[in-house]
Each structure stands twice: as structure tokens, then as C-alpha cells.
Amino acid sequence: MKYHSWSKENRIYIAICISFYLITQSGLYAQSVFKIPGKVEDFANYSSLEQCHALMHRLANREHSVSDSLSFDSLLSATQRKPYLLSTDSKESIAKCVEKFTVGEIIRIDSLRAAKDDREVFSLAIKLFSTLDDLNMLEQLIDVSMDTKDWKNYSEISTAFSHYLENPLQVSPQAGKEDSLVRALEDKYLISYIKNNSDSFDLQIKYIDILRNRLSQKLRNDDIASALNASNNLLEAINNALANPEDSLSSDYQTRLRRYKITPIYLQYRDSLLNSLRSSGLSGYIASLNRIRENIGVDTLEHNSFFVDKMFDAKGFIGYRRDSTVWKSAGSEANGIVNDPYKLVHPGKINAIYFLPALCRRIKWIPAQKRKYHRVNNMGCWRSYYEIRQMSSSYPEIEITIVTATVGHFDELALPDPYEEADLIRKAWHEYHKLPANILVEYTPKINLIPPDNRRLDDWSESNLTKIKEVIGKTQNEFSSLVLVSPEGSILRRNYWSIPGVEFKEFLNTYYSWWIDHNKAAK
Amino acid sequence: MNDSRVPSEPELYDILDRVHELDTGTGVLHIRVAAYWQGSTRWTRNRIGMCVNRTDHYLMIDREIAGGWGKTVTNQFNDRSIVSALKYTEWMANERRRNWFPRDYSIPIPEHHDPDAIVWSDKTLAYNFIDAGKVVRSICDQSETERLMSAGYIECTAGSSAYSLYNHSSNNRIRRYVKLSKGQCSTTVRNPSEMASGWAGVSQIDFGKVDEEAIASKAFDKCIASANPVRLEPGRYTAILEPQAVADMISYSLFAHGVIVSREYAEGSPLRHNASPFFLNYDPVTRLSRSKLGLQMFDKRISVWHDPLDPEMGLVGFQPDAMGIAPIKYVENGVLTSLPYDAIYSANRLEITGHNVHRNSFRMSGGDSTLDEMIANTDRGLVITRFSGGSTMNSSSLVATGLTRDGLWLIENGKVRHAVRNFRTLESPFFILNQVEQLGLPEKVFSEHPGSLVSPSDMLAYQARNFAPQFIVPSMKVRDFSFSTTIDAV
């Protein structure tokens, strides 16, 4: 900052600003230090820290704020009358202000909200604030655009953020607009904080939650400010982020974030969704989803969100229908393993798809006193079997499919031939456990460690289990997971660890009864 | 059951057939029938105090119905008792299976051939306490003439066992028969002031190889030579371990300890890995714990192995798979080459059906040095007869404490100078087996089996590896053996 070329008057005012800034920080201490001249009362209207800070910022940024069109006197007069100068909601006055490239401060959020339909004014404002690097106002603009559901402004706002960070974000046009915005915010606040404080995950999540809520529904800046100020660590983190702009978050963490953003929104709309499902069935449910989608700004049902997942086509080299007949013939090669894609969704039916681990194939009897602590029981295998039988008897229209993979052995019997293993799996689950379900077996590639170790290492990297993990979230266990899929292939509900809670059962009951009625009516 | 002390194969198979005929139940039936004879003679203070000849037999029935297990043991072989035992197992299995689903298929057992392992000697069966009493009497007479007190124990066991596995659903039946024998003799001799003590003993499958009088004379010599012991400062000395001392040090704490040498234990979860001495590290790439397999752990002259067909070692027991009977080599030229594992481990990790079952018995390679040569090559050191009261202090390093007993002598300038008061030692077998200077000829030693009396489970063929542990180890000269404190025990 070059103060030496300024006039004497300017320097005085700068000193006044600085001293006032310090007063707001620490009472009247600054007065004794800086010996403020008699024009202090002129600044009495600068009642907030932000305003003083913004003024300082503008003064320091000479070429934008002072040099061109406005003299410092006019600026001062404008800002002195600032708080209610342009609160008349008039588009003209806003446009006038924007034209003159005065301070962003004078454009209140109310005014912008009033002018939300005027695209030109809005874009002008974005331009202004981005050139002024006024982060505070940009955030307010985001809130307004959220409120107006005007998603076309998002790319501009993201660009503004990138400009602010002096580290242009690579926002691909294919990516969701919301995502680019979210990434911008994450980059701004959370990168360094999360990286430097990886142990306090709860606190991080709290901040992320704040941002999510603000993005989705809540527009109260006061709450955000208070929450952000709740921790000094965050301020440090912001400083660190500005000092060391990192490239991006780790992919693992991004997935966790994506997973997390779903929950509060879903909880918020759960009741209304269930009501709509009760009243008008699946069409009403989908309509509600669409409404929510519009509200929270998810403009597509195809991207990684709770409502929008489609069930994928699983890999498998052999499948058995519930009557033990071969679901689909194995690959064309005689003894080779061909992992063809299988359609897990049976058209015209509700589908329940279980992912069960290899441990579930142990059929040995477990003593009663050890049963509670035994790993097989802890994986939920026997409970899953019970559920499958119960679900089949209670909801006979549901098509149940179990997805599993070869591991080279069954119980204590080594089986190098995966077809033998698949047949034993079929025997165990169809004939022994009497499970009324289709079975899909995937071939798991493996390697062996060098001798004398020789141990087998399974390669799960491209398996169905990896896919389901992407769908249900990385923090969840891919084993013993259950998803309910609509006849159209959309994942309606999923539960983890195969524990159908009240919510799952409630949904299942409602959805199933509606579906039966709907089919009857159709007939 | 006739009067035969060791029933023959047809006799035991007849009993198995009779049980099958009387069975009206379902499920998978395991039947084990065993009979044994045991003769023993014990003497103390030059007088025979016990002379026992006993026989017993068992019938054990295990039944599995749909995951529920019922188990009965009886020693009554009449029809009524067998029927009630069968009914009881059926009732118990059904009680336990109540909430379980029927199992109507079984895992196929691969075809295999079990070679006939020899753990049998007619000479052991021919033992009778009249002959034994004569031998003991001569030992007692000798000790009385030399004004010493002797005590000792002679025991011979012989038996046979048959096992049958029958699956009602698949009508699949397997039968096995095995004969087992073992014998042991040990003697302790002390002087009247009880300040000198000598011991000798040996365990054999063939009792004909046991020379009681040679054992007694060895004990006499040790007792006479260990009179008037002097106190010595504790510290690290070169030590010459007799074969019995080597076996006491490394058998039950290392190679005869099933958990310690278990591969699953060595490659267990990272939370408990430091418990195993064979754990190497945790590999974050493969997410597996690695053992020390393939690494040089001992002196290059050391090899440790077991062969079930070795007549001096004994069988490892019948298992319904092919791998139970295979030889195992723990250590080859000092490199750790194999660790035992169970069937679940082998199927899960190694893609092998079967298991590498742990053996209590083992052989250790040796050298050609005699005890006299070792003494002659030693400037200053100690000769140790055996250890007693050993216990492991740390499971990962296997540092063990113990007491030297029944003969400890100081060597100076290649000659045995005088007897020494006993020490408490604190040493690890890994340290010993890396500080070897000379090795002697391997020989059979006395194995103190925890359950000296035969129990039903000992006699069952599927656990026969516990029946008669046999150790064949060399004498050993090692550097810097740690003697921690002097003790007053004789």
C-alpha cells in the first residue's frame, strides 16, 4: 500500500479509520495512541467492524475506489449517509451506484433482493464485488441467488471466488453447478483447517454443516457469522489457507463431504416425502423429490446424491435364480471367467439387493455362549438370512437378490475352481438356509505373496463391493448392506449393516402397499 | 470286550459296527472307541512304594444334527448302554439345534491315503512289573551299598483306538485304527546329607531301548560328582548344556508350544502381534502382518523338523484330510521355513484344503562333538545337567527363567574342577540358538508330558499328537549364558 503519494487529508482520514478499527477491537485504547482529530463524529455511523474494514480496504485500493470517478469528499458523504441511502429498493439507484463504481457497501442485501429479477443489475453487482474483492458481499450475493433460484449466476460467482483466492478454480462445465460453488466455499474456508486439524473431525463437520445449511435453506448471515466466530481455530485456518493455498482436498475426504451433505437435507424432507408417498404413491414421491431438488438446487437426478442414485449393473460370472436354475449362462469361453454385467433390477418389480460377505458362508455351528461375539454373527449373516425370509414372506412381490464374490474357499474347503465354489454357495443358501433369493456370484481376482509366505490376496478394487461402497458411502461397510430399488431402477432406500430401522420399515410398508394398490388399480 | 490289553483292529471295528447297528438317529455321527493298558513302578528311599497295572476303555459318541452337537462318553459296552448313549446324544443335539435350519448336504472330503505311522512296540507291551521289580531292586541294592538314596519311576503305556465318521444323509463312512505305546524311566539319587543330587531319565516309544541300570549308574555318578558344591558369582558363563537341558530350555517354550509356533498367531492382528516371537512387521500395502518365515533366525547348524513316519517321533493323528500326515520342517539351516496352521487358515489364506498340524515332538540337528571334547575346549564354563521350574517371562522374546538342578560343575582350563551351587537362569532360547559354539550327537531325552496318566482324549486317534511327545536334541556349548542368582536348592 502506497500512502506517501496521498494528500495530507487522506492520510488523516486513514489514521482515523485505523484508530476506529482498533477502538472497535479494544475499546477506547486507540484514542490515546493515535490522537484522533475532531472529525470522529463524522464516522460515528460506521458502527460495525465490517464497515470500517471495508472502507479501509477501499482506501487502500486506490485505483478502484478513489481515483476515477469520485472524490474522497463525495465518497465520504455517500458513506456517511450510507446505511439508509439506497434502501429504497429502487433499481435505478442501485444501477446508478453500480455505474459510478462506488462502494459495494452501500448496496444492501435488501436492495439486491428487491432487484433479484433484474439480471443486468445483478450481474453488474457481481462484477463490482469481484473486482472489489469484497468477499462479504459476494457471500450475500450467493444467498440472494439461492433465494432467487437463479442458478445461471453460479458460474459467475464461482469465478468471482476464484478471482478472490488468486487461485483460479478449474470448474468444469460438466460438473454440477452446486458442486463448483461448494468447492469454492470449501477452498475458501476449510482446506487448510481440515488438513491441519484432521483429528477434530466433528468440528470440521460442524462448519461444513453450516455452509451446507446456508447453501440449501438458511439465509441468516448472523448465524453463520456467530458460528464461524465460535472457534478461533477457524480464523487461523482461514489465515493459513490464504497463506498456503493448497490444490485440493483428498478424494477420500471429498467423498465424506458429499456423503455428509445428504443427511440434513434428507432428514428435513423425510416427513413430507413419506406423506406424499402415502397420499399419492410413487408419482407423488417423485414429484416431491423434484420440488426438493428445485429448492436445494440439484438440477439433475443423476449425480451422487441421496435421491438420485440408479442401481448399477453388477459384474458376475454366474447367477442363480431363486429356484436354483442358472440365471444366465456363463461366459462363452469354456473354462474362462467372463465377468458379464448382470441387470440386478428386475423390471416391473420392487428389488431388494443384499451384499453378503464370504464369511457368511461358514456353516459351522457356533456355541451359544460365543454366538454373540462371533465374527460371523457380528457381520450380520444369520440376521440377514432371517430378514430375507421374513421379507419374502411379508412382501412376496419383492424380488430379492444376493450379491457375493468368490474367495477361493468354502468353509474349510479350498476351491480353486470358482464354478465349484459358486455351486456350493448356491447349495448353502438355497438348500440349506432356504433363502428365497436370486444369487449372483462375482469372480474375485487374486495374487499370491512370494514363498514361503504364499498367502492369497484378493483384489477387490473393481468389484461390486467397491461399486456399492460408492453408492452407500465410503464410511459405511460394504458387507451386509441392503438397498431397495424401484422398478425403474432408482435406489429408494438403503440401510447399513443390514439393520432395517424404523425408517426403513416404514418406507417399505408404505411403498409396498401403495405399489400393490397401484397395480390392482392398473389391472 | 475281551481280556486283551490292546484290542486289535477287528475287535474295535466290531464295536463300531455294533454302535452303528444300534443307532436309529440322524445327522453326522463321530464314534471313537479306545482301550489302553498302563503298568508303572515307583520307588523312593530305596524301597518300592507302588506297583500298578491298570486297564481302561472308553466309547465316545459325538453327533451333529443341523448344527447342534451332542456328546457322550461311556465305558459300558453292552447294548443297553450303547443305545442309551446314542439316544442321549440325539436328544442333546436336537435340543441344541432347535432354532437352526436343517443341513441336508455336507462338504465333500477329498480322496486321500493315510500312510500307516508306527508308534508301536511289542516290547513296551511286554513290560511286566516282576521284571521291573527285579531291576529296581538291583538299583536300590547298589545305592544302599554306596550309602546313597535313590528314587524313580518306570511307566509303560500301550493302547489302541478306532475312529468312525458316518454321515446319515450322504451314507458316507470313514474308519481308522491306530495302536500307540510309550515308556519312560527316570531316577534321582541323593547322598544322605542331601547336598548332592544326580538325575537321569529317558522316554521312548520302544521300552526295549530303555536301559534302566545305565540310567541309574549315570545318576549315581552325577550324585557322587556333585558332592561338596561351592558358591560361584552369578554372571555370564560359557555353558555346556546336556541334551536334557537343551530340551528343557526350548521344547515347551518354543517348538512344542502350539500357540507360540502357530502361523496364525504370528500373522495375527496388529493389536496382538507383539505377543508372537515370529512376528516381523505390519505391511500397510497388503494390510497383512508378516511373519519371519524365510529369515535366518538361528545358527546355520540348527535344523528342527518332524516326520510322522519317523518311528522315533510318532504319528500326528488322523484327520479327514490329506495334509495332517505330511512332514514339517520348522527350521532349516537356521532359516525359519514353516509354521503350523489350522484348516481355516489354509483354506482362507493358502487355498489348500487341510492343515499343517502342530506336533509336540521334534528332532534337532547336531554335530559330532562329544561332551568330553566340549569340556576340553573350554577355558572357563559350566556344565548343566537339566533345568527345572522353567517359566516364560516374555512371550515375544521368550525370555525364560529356570533353575539348574541335579548336577552343575565348573570347568577350568579344559577340566571339570568341582561342583557348583545351583543358579537361577534368565535366558531366551533365541539367544542360546544364536550363540552356539559346538554341537553334540542328538539323542532321545526324557519328556515330561503334563498329563502323564492317559486320558480319553489322549487315546483318541485324532489327538494322538499329544500322546507321547518325543524330543531328540543334541548337547550344546553356548557362549555367554546368563546365570542371574545363586540359589540354595540342590
Side-chain angles (χ1 to χ4, degrees):
Chain A
M1 290 190 287
K2 297 175 181 177
Y3 299 121
H4 62 274
S5 63
W6 287 21
S7 67
K8 185 183 176 185
E9 196 180 45
N10 285 5
R11 265 178 260 156
I12 291 168
Y13 286 127
I14 289 166
I16 292 166
C17 279
I18 293 169
S19 57
F20 199 86
Y21 174 78
L22 291 170
I23 286 165
T24 57
Q25 290 279 336
S26 56
L28 295 173
Y29 171 74
Q31 269 197 336
S32 60
V33 177
F34 285 93
K35 295 180 181 176
I36 299 165
K39 280 195 175 182
V40 174
E41 57 273 16
D42 292 338
F43 290 89
N45 288 325
Y46 289 98
S47 54
S48 76
L49 170 65
E50 290 175 5
Q51 291 160 5
C52 279
H53 190 71
L55 180 58
M56 267 182 65
H57 189 73
R58 290 193 303 278
L59 293 175
N61 235 332
R62 187 180 165 195
E63 54 189 22
H64 286 309
S65 57
V66 184
S67 63
D68 296 336
S69 56
L70 293 174
S71 70
F72 193 78
D73 286 337
S74 61
L75 170 71
L76 182 62
S77 62
T79 50
Q80 273 181 334
R81 288 175 288 151
K82 163 214 48 112
Y84 305 105
L85 176 66
L86 291 172
S87 63
T88 55
D89 298 347
S90 84
K91 294 179 192 172
E92 293 174 358
S93 52
I94 295 173
K96 195 174 166 187
C97 189
V98 169
E99 268 175 22
K100 288 181 179 177
F101 269 78
T102 56
V103 288
E105 188 179 7
I106 58 179
I107 304 178
R108 303 296 294 171
I109 192 71
D110 299 335
S111 313
L112 272 176
R113 195 162 287 155
K116 63 191 173 186
D117 298 330
D118 195 334
R119 176 68 53 78
E120 290 179 5
V121 173
F122 205 80
S123 58
L124 269 175
I126 290 169
K127 197 175 173 186
L128 168 68
F129 293 134
S130 59
T131 47
L132 284 179
D133 294 354
D134 197 329
L135 187 66
N136 184 33
M137 292 308 293
L138 274 174
E139 285 179 7
Q140 292 186 11
L141 276 180
I142 291 166
D143 292 337
V144 172
S145 65
M146 286 280 191
D147 200 25
T148 56
K149 304 165 193 168
D150 188 358
W151 301 105
K152 292 186 179 178
N153 287 316
Y154 264 150
S155 57
E156 296 178 32
I157 295 172
S158 300
T159 317
F161 266 106
S162 66
H163 174 77
Y164 175 78
L165 290 168
E166 297 178 355
N167 182 18
L169 296 170
Q170 295 175 351
V171 183
S172 65
Q174 285 81 19
K177 290 169 184 173
E178 188 196 6
D179 265 14
S180 63
L181 179 67
V182 165
R183 220 180 309 154
L185 287 168
E186 284 167 359
D187 283 346
K188 179 190 157 212
Y189 283 120
L190 296 169
I191 285 177
S192 69
Y193 179 72
I194 288 163
K195 286 203 168 185
N196 297 330
N197 303 280
S198 56
D199 50 348
S200 59
F201 183 69
D202 291 341
L203 203 59
Q204 298 165 17
I205 285 298
K206 186 181 161 192
Y207 294 134
I208 296 162
D209 195 13
I210 292 162
L211 294 171
R212 299 288 180 215
N213 286 331
R214 183 167 63 75
L215 281 172
S216 57
Q217 289 302 308
K218 297 175 185 174
L219 296 169
R220 291 180 300 170
N221 282 323
D222 298 340
D223 289 350
I224 301 160
S226 60
L228 293 183
N229 288 327
S231 169
N232 292 324
N233 290 338
L234 185 65
L235 296 174
E236 290 175 15
I238 293 169
N239 290 332
N240 288 333
L242 294 175
N244 308 307
E246 294 289 342
D247 45 1
S248 65
L249 294 169
S250 69
S251 60
D252 178 55
Y253 199 81
Q254 280 184 5
T255 312
R256 288 159 86 186
L257 293 181
R258 288 205 194 94
R259 177 67 205 145
Y260 186 77
K261 83 177 177 187
I262 292 164
T263 311
I265 299 170
Y266 161 66
L267 290 175
Q268 199 169 348
Y269 290 103
R270 188 184 65 177
D271 293 339
S272 63
L273 279 172
L274 282 174
N275 284 331
S276 64
L277 187 66
R278 278 192 202 95
S279 57
S280 50
L282 189 62
S283 57
Y285 181 77
I286 297 293
S288 302
L289 279 187
N290 289 334
R291 278 199 298 278
I292 294 164
R293 183 198 64 191
E294 288 168 2
N295 284 338
I296 65 172
V298 182
D299 56 352
T300 171
L301 275 173
E302 294 300 329
H303 189 63
N304 200 10
S305 165
F306 183 83
F307 309 109
V308 298
D309 278 330
K310 288 276 186 183
M311 193 62 210
F312 54 83
D313 291 344
K315 287 199 302 178
F317 73 94
I318 193 161
Y320 301 100
R321 295 199 176 279
R322 54 195 295 177
D323 57 357
S324 277
T325 57
V326 176
W327 179 349
K328 179 183 173 183
S329 61
S332 56
E333 298 172 26
N335 294 316
I337 302 297
V338 180
N339 268 312
D340 292 338
Y342 275 62
K343 287 210 177 299
L344 293 177
V345 181
H346 291 69
K349 285 198 167 187
I350 312 170
N351 297 272
I353 299 164
Y354 277 83
F355 289 79
L356 292 186
L359 269 179
C360 285
R361 293 174 219 153
R362 291 212 60 192
I363 53 172
K364 278 210 161 184
W365 179 75
I366 307 155
Q369 65 270 22
K370 291 183 182 174
R371 215 170 292 156
K372 186 179 175 185
Y373 308 104
H374 198 274
R375 54 181 179 171
V376 171
N377 215 38
N378 285 341
M379 295 300 283
C381 302
W382 292 82
R383 194 168 48 205
S384 299
Y385 300 156
Y386 176 77
E387 282 169 23
I388 289 169
R389 283 187 287 268
Q390 287 290 310
M391 189 183 279
S392 176
S393 61
S394 305
Y395 312 103
E397 298 293 326
I398 289 185
E399 190 77 22
I400 304 169
T401 307
I402 306 174
V403 182
T404 187
T406 59
V407 286
H409 67 99
F410 186 94
D411 211 344
E412 295 174 10
L413 186 69
L415 290 164
D417 182 3
Y419 288 97
E420 282 185 30
E421 188 182 343
D423 194 50
L424 271 183
I425 292 168
R426 178 193 62 77
K427 278 186 181 176
W429 283 347
H430 278 169
E431 298 176 15
Y432 174 39
H433 288 292
K434 310 285 185 196
L435 300 183
N438 308 311
I439 298 169
L440 178 61
V441 187
E442 180 195 3
Y443 175 70
T444 309
K446 55 97 184 176
I447 58 165
N448 284 87
L449 298 178
I450 55 171
D453 202 322
N454 276 339
R455 275 182 286 176
R456 175 190 167 113
L457 274 179
D458 289 328
D459 180 12
W460 301 102
S461 56
E462 294 180 357
S463 67
N464 293 326
L465 293 175
T466 317
K467 277 190 185 175
I468 191 65
K469 197 144 191 169
E470 286 172 5
V471 172
I472 65 175
K474 256 195 172 179
T475 55
Q476 301 296 329
N477 196 317
E478 69 271 33
F479 298 118
S480 300
S481 59
L482 161 64
V483 290
L484 194 70
V485 186
S486 76
E488 290 79 20
S490 299
I491 293 179
L492 301 173
R493 281 291 186 276
R494 70 205 80 189
N495 70 330
Y496 314 106
W497 288 87
S498 190
I499 305 167
V502 174
E503 166 204 321
F504 190 93
K505 282 181 177 168
E506 187 184 357
F507 179 84
L508 187 59
N509 277 320
T510 318
Y511 180 67
Y512 188 80
S513 55
W514 168 82
W515 195 75
I516 294 293
D517 294 344
H518 175 74
N519 277 3
K520 280 180 184 172
K523 286 174 185 175
Chain B
M1 177 72 83
N2 59 25
D3 294 334
S4 169
R5 290 190 291 179
V6 179
S8 63
E9 182 175 326
E11 285 174 318
L12 289 187
Y13 280 180
D14 282 348
I15 296 171
L16 292 180
D17 291 342
R18 198 144 54 87
V19 176
H20 278 298
E21 285 170 11
L22 294 169
D23 180 31
T24 57
T26 58
V28 181
L29 202 61
H30 304 257
I31 307 166
R32 299 170 180 109
V33 56
Y36 76 92
W37 156 86
Q38 187 177 72
S40 56
T41 305
R42 187 187 294 280
W43 74 97
T44 51
R45 292 183 171 263
N46 301 332
R47 296 287 183 271
I48 294 176
M50 186 185 82
C51 212
V52 178
N53 200 4
R54 51 178 272 188
T55 59
D56 207 346
H57 50 262
Y58 304 93
L59 172 66
M60 187 183 290
I61 300 171
D62 282 300
R63 189 196 294 276
E64 183 196 1
I65 302 174
W69 279 89
K71 181 178 180 180
T72 322
V73 184
T74 179
N75 60 359
Q76 302 295 315
F77 286 3
N78 56 61
D79 285 359
R80 190 176 169 185
S81 300
I82 292 172
V83 167
S84 58
L86 286 164
K87 292 280 182 191
Y88 179 72
T89 56
E90 193 175 358
W91 172 81
M92 187 186 281
N94 277 316
E95 278 294 301
R96 290 180 176 180
R97 63 155 275 194
R98 183 169 290 164
N99 296 320
W100 294 72
F101 295 92
R103 174 180 179 172
D104 49 5
Y105 77 98
S106 62
I107 294 170
I109 298 167
E111 289 184 6
H112 62 282
H113 171 67
D114 289 332
D116 295 326
I118 302 163
V119 198
W120 178 254
S121 163
D122 289 334
K123 288 180 182 172
T124 308
L125 184 63
Y127 164 90
N128 63 76
F129 49 85
I130 297 173
D131 295 342
K134 289 176 184 172
V135 173
V136 172
R137 187 66 259 162
S138 70
I139 294 170
C140 292
D141 290 344
Q142 188 186 351
S143 66
E144 278 184 345
T145 52
E146 297 187 18
R147 294 193 171 187
L148 298 172
M149 288 189 299
S150 71
Y153 184 56
I154 296 173
E155 180 193 275
C156 283
T157 309
S160 61
S161 168
Y163 168 75
S164 161
L165 168 64
Y166 180 70
N167 192 336
H168 276 274
S169 61
S170 63
N171 212 12
N172 185 13
R173 185 175 176 184
I174 297 171
R175 290 197 304 189
R176 291 290 185 280
Y177 171 84
V178 69
K179 284 204 297 186
L180 304 160
S181 72
K182 66 175 179 181
Q184 66 177 49
C185 173
S186 62
T187 312
T188 308
V189 181
R190 293 195 170 191
N191 65 4
S193 65
E194 297 211 352
M195 291 300 287
S197 175
W199 178 92
V202 73
S203 299
Q204 291 282 7
I205 289 168
D206 182 2
F207 194 70
K209 292 180 181 174
V210 177
D211 187 351
E212 299 95 328
E213 293 180 357
I215 289 171
S217 68
K218 194 175 174 185
F220 281 129
D221 294 345
K222 282 185 180 291
C223 176
I224 294 165
S226 62
N228 303 318
V230 298
R231 283 192 186 276
L232 205 63
E233 279 294 317
R236 287 193 180 273
Y237 293 90
T238 296
I240 296 168
L241 308 175
E242 292 190 8
Q244 187 65 49
V246 174
D248 290 343
M249 195 75 197
I250 68 170
S251 62
Y252 288 110
S253 68
L254 189 55
F255 293 113
H257 195 304
V259 175
I260 289 292
V261 293
S262 157
R263 184 165 173 185
E264 198 174 13
Y265 187 55
E267 295 166 351
S269 83
L271 297 177
R272 62 171 191 179
H273 57 68
N274 54 0
S276 170
F278 298 111
F279 169 80
L280 179 63
N281 61 9
Y282 178 72
D283 187 350
V285 177
T286 59
R287 297 183 183 178
L288 291 174
S289 294
R290 290 167 60 203
S291 67
K292 292 177 183 171
L293 279 174
L295 298 184
Q296 186 88 32
M297 289 195 74
F298 306 105
D299 190 285
K300 287 187 178 177
R301 288 167 287 179
I302 303 288
S303 295
V304 182
W305 71 96
H306 175 107
D307 188 350
L309 299 180
D310 183 350
E312 294 293 329
M313 288 283 101
L315 85 171
V316 293
F318 161 72
Q319 290 277 347
D321 56 60
M323 287 219 18
I325 206 74
I328 184 173
K329 197 146 195 170
Y330 294 111
V331 182
E332 188 168 7
N333 298 330
V335 177
L336 185 70
T337 49
S338 179
L339 292 171
Y341 45 83
D342 61 10
I344 299 170
Y345 181 94
S346 62
N348 194 354
R349 291 292 190 195
L350 304 177
E351 306 167 275
I352 298 167
T353 298
H355 57 168
N356 196 356
V357 68
H358 168 249
R359 284 91 167 173
N360 281 13
S361 310
F362 64 88
R363 271 183 186 270
M364 183 184 278
S365 62
D368 51 1
S369 305
T370 63
L371 209 60
D372 292 338
E373 287 173 8
M374 291 183 193
I375 292 169
N377 291 337
T378 307
D379 289 338
R380 184 178 166 84
L382 292 164
V383 182
I384 303 169
T385 302
R386 71 179 186 120
F387 295 103
S388 84
S391 65
T392 305
M393 300 279 102
N394 182 313
S395 61
S396 62
S397 66
L398 291 187
V399 167
T401 183
L403 310 176
T404 62
R405 295 298 291 271
D406 302 321
L408 180 70
W409 296 276
L410 176 68
I411 306 164
E412 281 182 339
N413 300 323
K415 288 182 181 174
V416 175
R417 286 301 176 192
H418 43 71
V420 180
R421 283 293 186 104
N422 283 312
F423 284 109
R424 176 173 286 279
T425 63
L426 187 68
E427 198 52 274
S428 160
F430 293 106
F431 184 82
I432 294 170
L433 296 176
N434 277 294
Q435 301 286 334
V436 177
E437 287 192 345
Q438 283 179 282
L439 287 168
L441 285 171
E443 59 183 74
K444 186 73 78 74
V445 299
F446 180 81
S447 62
E448 188 183 7
H449 188 227
S452 175
L453 287 177
V454 176
S455 66
S457 60
D458 281 343
M459 277 305 300
L460 295 173
Y462 79 109
Q463 285 183 346
R465 63 177 184 271
N466 296 321
F467 177 70
Q470 305 287 319
F471 308 133
I472 299 178
V473 293
S475 56
M476 199 179 281
K477 179 180 166 185
V478 297
R479 295 181 296 272
D480 299 334
F481 195 95
S482 168
F483 298 89
S484 56
T485 53
T486 56
I487 57 170
D488 286 333
V490 179

